[in-house]
Amino acid sequence: MSFSSDLIRNVAIAGHGGTGKTTLFEHLLFAGGVIPRAETVESGKTVGDSAPEEIERKISVHTTLAHIERSGKKINIFDTPGSSDFIGDVILSFRSSEFALLTADCRSGVQIETVKLWRNLESREKPRGFFITRLDDERADYNKVLADIKEKFKVEPVPFALPMGTGANYKGVVDVLNSRAYFVQGDGSAPEKEGPVPAEYEEPVAELREKLVEAAAEGDDALMEKYIEQGSLAPEEMRAGLVKALAAGSFVPAFAGAALKNSGLFPLLDFIAEVCPDPRSSSDVAVGADGAQAAVPLDPEKPLSALVIKTVYDQFSGKLSWLKIITGKLSADSEASNVSENKKERIGKLYVCQGKKLEEVRELFAGDVGIVAKSATLKTNDTLTAGDSGSSFLPLRLPEPVHAVAVNAAAKKDDDKLGEFLVRAAEEDRTFRYNYNAETKETVISGMGELQINIILDKIRTNQKIEVETHVPRVAYRETITKKAGAEYTHKKQTGGHGQYGKVVMEIAPLPRGENYQFVNAIFGGAIPRNYIPGVEKGIAEGMARGTMAQYPVVDVEVKLTDGKYHPVDSSELSFKLAARNAFRESMRQASPTLLEPIMNLTVFVEEKYLGDVMSDLSGKRGKILGQDSVGGIAEIRAEVPQAELLRYSIDLRSITSGTGSFGVEFDHYAPISGRIADDVIKAAEAFRVKEEEE
Ligand SMILES: Nc1nc2c(ncn2[C@@H]2O[C@H](COP(=O)(O)OP(=O)(O)OP(=O)(O)O)[C@@H](O)[C@H]2O)c(=O)[nH]1
Ligand SMILES: [Mg+2]
């Protein structure tokens, strides 16, 4: 069935790993009548965790999309993974949703991944709320989580559900908005049951309702005046006020429950159906043919435009392209343009999904998310439009990879198959990258963490049956010089027939870091004729491609060609190239060369209790601490650290912080190394060359 834009709601469930997202998703689908019974994550049969890698590890690896109907609305729900390795799927769900629901386990409060996700949502100005779950657990501490939210995010969460008891005494929640209670039934396998608010909760619920009214009035000046005058608001006024205030992000709703016991779900669904933003209140960003960015409001009245948010290669259905419709509508059996590829795209059947299950629809309206199967041209981030508007939506911005491994197929015959697999894997998860580094002669795969990379390696070995070898990638060192020097070289072969002759005299000098190369032709009086200068430059380029210390590329050198000599018959471009290459090498040896190593900018997020250990580990890694902040028990450390020390940092940090820490890393600059560290690099480079020559 197709739903018009005003009836669609998109919600992303996100939060720290293991906080009950998939369990909540499963029970919401049960409450919404989509599935006949709710399964547990442990059983491996949930809608959310259905891929083999998810079933095996009992964690979510991919975003799952399904939808529920409530009060005539279609609620699309994204169940996202909690591990930071799969952040790509979380971010695409944030972009596609108008509301994000962060889960918080009431035993542990707000955990570190949730803090990072909050920041991401904040930068998107995305309306967001919390679902405080697992209240049936003996260690549940509801008020602690509320206090934690307040402390960590400096907001006053507005409770829309009040728990009735916790642990063994947990009975259910009161829906504050509608002043109704919802009771857990028996062992919790049946849906929660609605009833009047028990007398003992009447007073606290009235107080909380007052807060809701305040939050509603906050969004609207006229309402605020009325509230101040009358001291209350009519239910419809209150709802309208909340809708406005939430869309403006002026309050943060907090829900509560025990998803596993089917509790706290109806108040949440009613809130989503009645208060969550209509997609038409949001917009996306497109870049025009002239490069200018402009907001595109979600609008069903405009011609079609849609964005490919995700690509899945399904074992049975083949390639599935997930589309968020931004404007207009997309119809089955139609034709559209893939602006990004500048190609026509034939749209056959259209689907919406309930997890893995596809359901055919005729149309999809702005705001909805649907699927095109076996598309000929669509890739993630592509823009589909009715005409050739020329403007396309901004590609999703994702963090840079933090963990890399070099891979190669054990048997040469598998190279192509491995290559094809890597292309698809990178298409399915845009945080996963692969590239062949010609300098180090390695195929390097990289991503957001060891877990993500290991899952890919498992697929290569098990599904693709390709035997691969892995190793720590080589660091791309550089060489440079530290003082001025010069040399001359004469290339001469003049024995019989047509000879070779060229003499080059040059001076080299260090350039500031990052300036790479400058060539100055200071030849006077035609000592080297103009037509041989390109030969000289080629020779220098060859000299710079392999330095004299460990054959790494040479950078930040000015080369001044000062003099030379030619022979009217025997000189050639080749002669000058060889002379220049040798003159450069000789000059470099005289110019006190040094090795440079890449220095990375590292940002680490850890719980404060691990701060000391992380700092001392970084100092052991030759790190320079640049700054440190701490908010609500979570420390952010910024440091400059040599890349060579960070090749296995995702593994190191995990062991220091019991898996709770995370980090971002990007290249910053090159810095000189000397002494034993440089000696080791030179030795390793020699060993590598010997091995290479043997092969
Ligand atoms: N007692 C109790 N256990 C729960 C509840 N919700 C989730 N759990 C358990 O918590 C564990 C983790 O739940 P998941 O739903 O897989 O958590 P998740 O957030 O989806 O995990 P990731 O996708 O890996 O981030 C499972 O063993 C659930 O059965 C709850 O309300 N009560
Ligand atoms: Mg999950």
Side-chain angles (χ1 to χ4, degrees), residues 15-24 40-42 49 58-61 79-83 103 105 107 131 133-137 257-262:
H16 195 87
T19 46
K21 296 176 290 296
T22 300
T23 306
L24 174 61
T40 62
V41 168
E42 284 70 25
D49 291 351
K58 312 267 182 274
I59 58 161
S60 304
V61 171
D79 172 28
T80 70
S83 160
T103 47
D105 183 330
R107 298 171 303 175
F131 189 83
T133 187
R134 215 170 170 144
L135 285 164
D136 60 318
D137 195 284
L260 194 66
K261 298 276 187 279
N262 275 305

Short mmCIF file of all heavy atoms in Angstrom, two decimals, residues 15-24 40-42 49 58-61 79-83 103 105 107 131 133-137 257-262, ligand 1:
data_model
loop_
_atom_site.label_atom_id
_atom_site.label_comp_id
_atom_site.label_asym_id
_atom_site.label_seq_id
_atom_site.Cartn_x
_atom_site.Cartn_y
_atom_site.Cartn_z
N GLY A 15 21.80 3.84 19.17
CA GLY A 15 22.32 3.87 20.53
C GLY A 15 23.46 2.89 20.70
O GLY A 15 23.72 2.05 19.83
N HIS A 16 24.13 3.02 21.81
CA HIS A 16 25.28 2.18 22.16
C HIS A 16 24.96 0.69 21.94
O HIS A 16 23.81 0.29 22.07
CB HIS A 16 25.61 2.42 23.63
CG HIS A 16 26.95 1.92 24.05
ND1 HIS A 16 28.09 2.68 23.91
CD2 HIS A 16 27.34 0.74 24.58
CE1 HIS A 16 29.12 1.98 24.35
NE2 HIS A 16 28.69 0.80 24.76
N GLY A 17 25.97 -0.09 21.64
CA GLY A 17 25.79 -1.52 21.37
C GLY A 17 25.09 -2.24 22.52
O GLY A 17 25.34 -1.96 23.69
N GLY A 18 24.18 -3.13 22.15
CA GLY A 18 23.54 -3.98 23.14
C GLY A 18 22.55 -3.30 24.07
O GLY A 18 22.22 -3.81 25.14
N THR A 19 22.07 -2.10 23.69
CA THR A 19 21.13 -1.40 24.56
C THR A 19 19.67 -1.77 24.24
O THR A 19 18.75 -1.14 24.77
CB THR A 19 21.30 0.13 24.48
OG1 THR A 19 21.39 0.50 23.11
CG2 THR A 19 22.54 0.59 25.21
N GLY A 20 19.46 -2.76 23.39
CA GLY A 20 18.10 -3.26 23.18
C GLY A 20 17.38 -2.68 21.98
O GLY A 20 16.15 -2.74 21.91
N LYS A 21 18.11 -2.18 20.98
CA LYS A 21 17.47 -1.59 19.80
C LYS A 21 16.70 -2.64 19.00
O LYS A 21 15.55 -2.44 18.64
CB LYS A 21 18.54 -0.95 18.88
CG LYS A 21 19.26 0.21 19.52
CD LYS A 21 20.37 0.75 18.62
CE LYS A 21 21.54 -0.20 18.47
NZ LYS A 21 22.29 -0.47 19.69
N THR A 22 17.39 -3.75 18.70
CA THR A 22 16.76 -4.78 17.87
C THR A 22 15.58 -5.42 18.61
O THR A 22 14.56 -5.75 18.00
CB THR A 22 17.82 -5.83 17.46
OG1 THR A 22 18.84 -5.14 16.74
CG2 THR A 22 17.23 -6.92 16.60
N THR A 23 15.71 -5.54 19.92
CA THR A 23 14.62 -6.08 20.73
C THR A 23 13.43 -5.12 20.69
O THR A 23 12.28 -5.54 20.53
CB THR A 23 15.11 -6.29 22.18
OG1 THR A 23 16.30 -7.09 22.15
CG2 THR A 23 14.05 -6.96 23.03
N LEU A 24 13.70 -3.84 20.80
CA LEU A 24 12.63 -2.85 20.73
C LEU A 24 11.97 -2.88 19.34
O LEU A 24 10.74 -2.90 19.23
CB LEU A 24 13.22 -1.45 21.01
CG LEU A 24 12.27 -0.25 20.85
CD1 LEU A 24 11.09 -0.36 21.80
CD2 LEU A 24 13.03 1.07 21.09
N THR A 40 13.60 -13.49 20.14
CA THR A 40 14.71 -12.85 20.84
C THR A 40 15.94 -12.81 19.94
O THR A 40 16.08 -13.63 19.02
CB THR A 40 15.11 -13.63 22.11
OG1 THR A 40 15.54 -14.94 21.70
CG2 THR A 40 13.95 -13.76 23.08
N VAL A 41 16.81 -11.87 20.23
CA VAL A 41 18.06 -11.76 19.48
C VAL A 41 18.85 -13.08 19.59
O VAL A 41 19.45 -13.55 18.63
CB VAL A 41 18.87 -10.56 20.00
CG1 VAL A 41 20.29 -10.59 19.46
CG2 VAL A 41 18.18 -9.26 19.62
N GLU A 42 18.79 -13.67 20.77
CA GLU A 42 19.53 -14.93 21.01
C GLU A 42 19.05 -16.06 20.10
O GLU A 42 19.82 -16.93 19.72
CB GLU A 42 19.40 -15.37 22.47
CG GLU A 42 20.27 -14.58 23.46
CD GLU A 42 19.81 -13.14 23.66
OE1 GLU A 42 18.61 -12.86 23.44
OE2 GLU A 42 20.65 -12.30 24.01
N ASP A 49 18.01 -8.67 13.14
CA ASP A 49 19.31 -9.34 12.98
C ASP A 49 19.13 -10.61 12.16
O ASP A 49 19.10 -11.71 12.70
CB ASP A 49 19.91 -9.69 14.36
CG ASP A 49 20.33 -8.46 15.14
OD1 ASP A 49 20.32 -7.36 14.56
OD2 ASP A 49 20.68 -8.59 16.32
N LYS A 58 25.25 -12.26 17.29
CA LYS A 58 24.18 -11.72 18.16
C LYS A 58 24.27 -10.21 18.31
O LYS A 58 24.02 -9.65 19.38
CB LYS A 58 24.19 -12.37 19.55
CG LYS A 58 24.29 -13.88 19.54
CD LYS A 58 22.93 -14.52 19.58
CE LYS A 58 23.02 -16.03 19.61
NZ LYS A 58 23.12 -16.60 18.23
N ILE A 59 24.69 -9.57 17.24
CA ILE A 59 24.71 -8.11 17.22
C ILE A 59 24.19 -7.65 15.86
O ILE A 59 24.21 -8.42 14.91
CB ILE A 59 26.12 -7.51 17.43
CG1 ILE A 59 27.07 -8.04 16.33
CG2 ILE A 59 26.67 -7.83 18.80
CD1 ILE A 59 28.30 -7.20 16.18
N SER A 60 23.78 -6.40 15.77
CA SER A 60 23.38 -5.88 14.47
C SER A 60 24.60 -5.38 13.72
O SER A 60 25.49 -4.76 14.32
CB SER A 60 22.37 -4.74 14.64
OG SER A 60 21.27 -5.17 15.39
N VAL A 61 24.62 -5.67 12.43
CA VAL A 61 25.72 -5.24 11.58
C VAL A 61 25.21 -4.27 10.51
O VAL A 61 25.91 -3.38 10.06
CB VAL A 61 26.40 -6.48 10.93
CG1 VAL A 61 27.41 -6.08 9.87
CG2 VAL A 61 27.06 -7.34 12.01
N ASP A 79 16.23 0.03 12.29
CA ASP A 79 16.97 -0.56 13.41
C ASP A 79 18.44 -0.51 13.03
O ASP A 79 18.88 -1.20 12.11
CB ASP A 79 16.52 -2.01 13.65
CG ASP A 79 17.41 -2.71 14.70
OD1 ASP A 79 17.96 -2.01 15.58
OD2 ASP A 79 17.55 -3.95 14.62
N THR A 80 19.21 0.31 13.73
CA THR A 80 20.61 0.51 13.33
C THR A 80 21.56 -0.27 14.24
O THR A 80 21.21 -0.60 15.36
CB THR A 80 20.98 2.01 13.37
OG1 THR A 80 21.04 2.42 14.74
CG2 THR A 80 19.99 2.87 12.62
N PRO A 81 22.78 -0.54 13.75
CA PRO A 81 23.75 -1.25 14.58
C PRO A 81 24.33 -0.32 15.65
O PRO A 81 24.41 0.89 15.46
CB PRO A 81 24.85 -1.64 13.59
CG PRO A 81 24.38 -1.23 12.24
CD PRO A 81 23.29 -0.25 12.40
N GLY A 82 24.75 -0.90 16.77
CA GLY A 82 25.29 -0.08 17.87
C GLY A 82 26.80 0.05 17.83
O GLY A 82 27.36 1.04 18.30
N SER A 83 27.47 -0.96 17.26
CA SER A 83 28.93 -0.90 17.23
C SER A 83 29.40 0.20 16.30
O SER A 83 28.88 0.36 15.19
CB SER A 83 29.48 -2.25 16.75
OG SER A 83 30.81 -2.08 16.30
N THR A 103 18.38 4.61 22.36
CA THR A 103 18.07 3.68 23.46
C THR A 103 19.10 3.83 24.56
O THR A 103 20.29 4.03 24.30
CB THR A 103 18.10 2.22 22.97
OG1 THR A 103 19.28 2.02 22.21
CG2 THR A 103 16.88 1.89 22.12
N ASP A 105 20.14 1.79 28.15
CA ASP A 105 19.93 0.64 29.03
C ASP A 105 19.87 1.18 30.46
O ASP A 105 20.80 1.86 30.90
CB ASP A 105 21.11 -0.31 28.85
CG ASP A 105 20.97 -1.59 29.66
OD1 ASP A 105 20.35 -1.54 30.74
OD2 ASP A 105 21.51 -2.62 29.22
N ARG A 107 20.38 0.03 33.19
CA ARG A 107 21.39 -0.43 34.15
C ARG A 107 22.63 0.44 34.06
O ARG A 107 23.37 0.61 35.02
CB ARG A 107 21.80 -1.88 33.86
CG ARG A 107 20.66 -2.86 33.97
CD ARG A 107 21.09 -4.22 33.45
NE ARG A 107 21.56 -4.13 32.06
CZ ARG A 107 22.08 -5.14 31.39
NH1 ARG A 107 22.21 -6.31 31.98
NH2 ARG A 107 22.46 -5.00 30.14
N PHE A 131 14.69 6.28 24.62
CA PHE A 131 13.86 5.19 25.12
C PHE A 131 14.71 4.49 26.19
O PHE A 131 15.74 3.89 25.89
CB PHE A 131 13.49 4.21 24.00
CG PHE A 131 12.46 3.20 24.44
CD1 PHE A 131 11.11 3.51 24.42
CD2 PHE A 131 12.85 1.94 24.89
CE1 PHE A 131 10.15 2.58 24.83
CE2 PHE A 131 11.90 1.00 25.31
CZ PHE A 131 10.55 1.33 25.28
N THR A 133 15.22 1.64 28.46
CA THR A 133 14.66 0.29 28.38
C THR A 133 15.25 -0.66 29.42
O THR A 133 16.13 -0.28 30.19
CB THR A 133 14.80 -0.27 26.95
OG1 THR A 133 14.09 -1.50 26.88
CG2 THR A 133 16.24 -0.46 26.56
N ARG A 134 14.71 -1.84 29.44
CA ARG A 134 15.14 -2.91 30.34
C ARG A 134 14.74 -2.65 31.78
O ARG A 134 15.45 -3.01 32.71
CB ARG A 134 16.65 -3.07 30.22
CG ARG A 134 17.04 -4.51 30.35
CD ARG A 134 18.47 -4.75 30.00
NE ARG A 134 18.76 -6.11 30.39
CZ ARG A 134 19.56 -6.92 29.71
NH1 ARG A 134 20.18 -6.49 28.64
NH2 ARG A 134 19.76 -8.14 30.13
N LEU A 135 13.60 -1.96 31.96
CA LEU A 135 13.17 -1.64 33.34
C LEU A 135 12.79 -2.88 34.13
O LEU A 135 12.66 -2.82 35.35
CB LEU A 135 11.99 -0.65 33.29
CG LEU A 135 12.42 0.77 32.94
CD1 LEU A 135 11.23 1.61 32.51
CD2 LEU A 135 13.14 1.43 34.11
N ASP A 136 12.60 -4.00 33.45
CA ASP A 136 12.29 -5.25 34.17
C ASP A 136 13.52 -5.85 34.81
O ASP A 136 13.43 -6.83 35.53
CB ASP A 136 11.68 -6.26 33.19
CG ASP A 136 12.64 -6.60 32.06
OD1 ASP A 136 13.31 -5.66 31.54
OD2 ASP A 136 12.75 -7.78 31.70
N ASP A 137 14.70 -5.27 34.53
CA ASP A 137 15.94 -5.84 35.06
C ASP A 137 16.12 -5.46 36.53
O ASP A 137 15.78 -4.34 36.94
CB ASP A 137 17.13 -5.31 34.23
CG ASP A 137 18.39 -6.11 34.47
OD1 ASP A 137 19.02 -5.93 35.54
OD2 ASP A 137 18.73 -6.92 33.60
N GLY A 257 10.40 1.78 29.29
CA GLY A 257 9.74 0.50 29.10
C GLY A 257 10.67 -0.68 29.25
O GLY A 257 11.83 -0.53 29.68
N ALA A 258 10.15 -1.82 28.90
CA ALA A 258 10.94 -3.05 28.86
C ALA A 258 10.50 -3.72 27.56
O ALA A 258 9.48 -4.41 27.53
CB ALA A 258 10.66 -3.93 30.06
N ALA A 259 11.26 -3.45 26.49
CA ALA A 259 10.84 -3.92 25.18
C ALA A 259 10.64 -5.43 25.18
O ALA A 259 9.68 -5.94 24.61
CB ALA A 259 11.87 -3.51 24.13
N LEU A 260 11.53 -6.12 25.85
CA LEU A 260 11.46 -7.59 25.87
C LEU A 260 10.14 -8.08 26.47
O LEU A 260 9.68 -9.18 26.16
CB LEU A 260 12.64 -8.15 26.68
CG LEU A 260 12.92 -9.63 26.53
CD1 LEU A 260 13.38 -9.97 25.12
CD2 LEU A 260 13.99 -10.08 27.54
N LYS A 261 9.53 -7.25 27.33
CA LYS A 261 8.26 -7.63 27.96
C LYS A 261 7.10 -6.91 27.26
O LYS A 261 6.02 -6.76 27.84
CB LYS A 261 8.29 -7.23 29.44
CG LYS A 261 9.37 -7.95 30.25
CD LYS A 261 8.87 -9.31 30.69
CE LYS A 261 9.80 -10.02 31.63
NZ LYS A 261 10.92 -10.70 30.97
N ASN A 262 7.33 -6.45 26.04
CA ASN A 262 6.29 -5.74 25.29
C ASN A 262 5.76 -4.53 26.03
O ASN A 262 4.58 -4.21 25.94
CB ASN A 262 5.12 -6.68 24.99
CG ASN A 262 5.37 -7.48 23.74
OD1 ASN A 262 5.63 -6.91 22.69
ND2 ASN A 262 5.33 -8.79 23.87
N1 LIG B 1 15.50 -8.09 30.44
C1 LIG B 1 15.53 -7.41 29.32
N2 LIG B 1 16.46 -7.67 28.40
C2 LIG B 1 16.46 -6.96 27.27
C3 LIG B 1 15.51 -5.95 27.01
N3 LIG B 1 15.78 -5.40 25.80
C4 LIG B 1 16.86 -6.06 25.32
N4 LIG B 1 17.27 -6.99 26.20
C5 LIG B 1 18.39 -7.92 26.00
O1 LIG B 1 19.56 -7.19 25.76
C6 LIG B 1 20.41 -7.89 24.83
C7 LIG B 1 20.79 -6.98 23.68
O2 LIG B 1 19.64 -6.65 22.97
P1 LIG B 1 19.65 -6.21 21.45
O3 LIG B 1 18.24 -5.91 21.12
O4 LIG B 1 20.39 -7.16 20.60
O5 LIG B 1 20.48 -4.86 21.55
P2 LIG B 1 20.95 -3.94 20.32
O6 LIG B 1 20.96 -2.56 20.85
O7 LIG B 1 20.13 -4.21 19.14
O8 LIG B 1 22.42 -4.45 20.08
P3 LIG B 1 23.39 -4.06 18.82
O9 LIG B 1 22.56 -4.12 17.60
O10 LIG B 1 24.47 -5.05 18.80
O11 LIG B 1 23.89 -2.71 19.12
C8 LIG B 1 19.62 -9.10 24.37
O12 LIG B 1 20.06 -10.21 25.10
C9 LIG B 1 18.20 -8.75 24.75
O13 LIG B 1 17.40 -9.89 25.03
C10 LIG B 1 14.52 -5.71 28.00
O14 LIG B 1 13.65 -4.87 27.87
N5 LIG B 1 14.58 -6.46 29.12
#
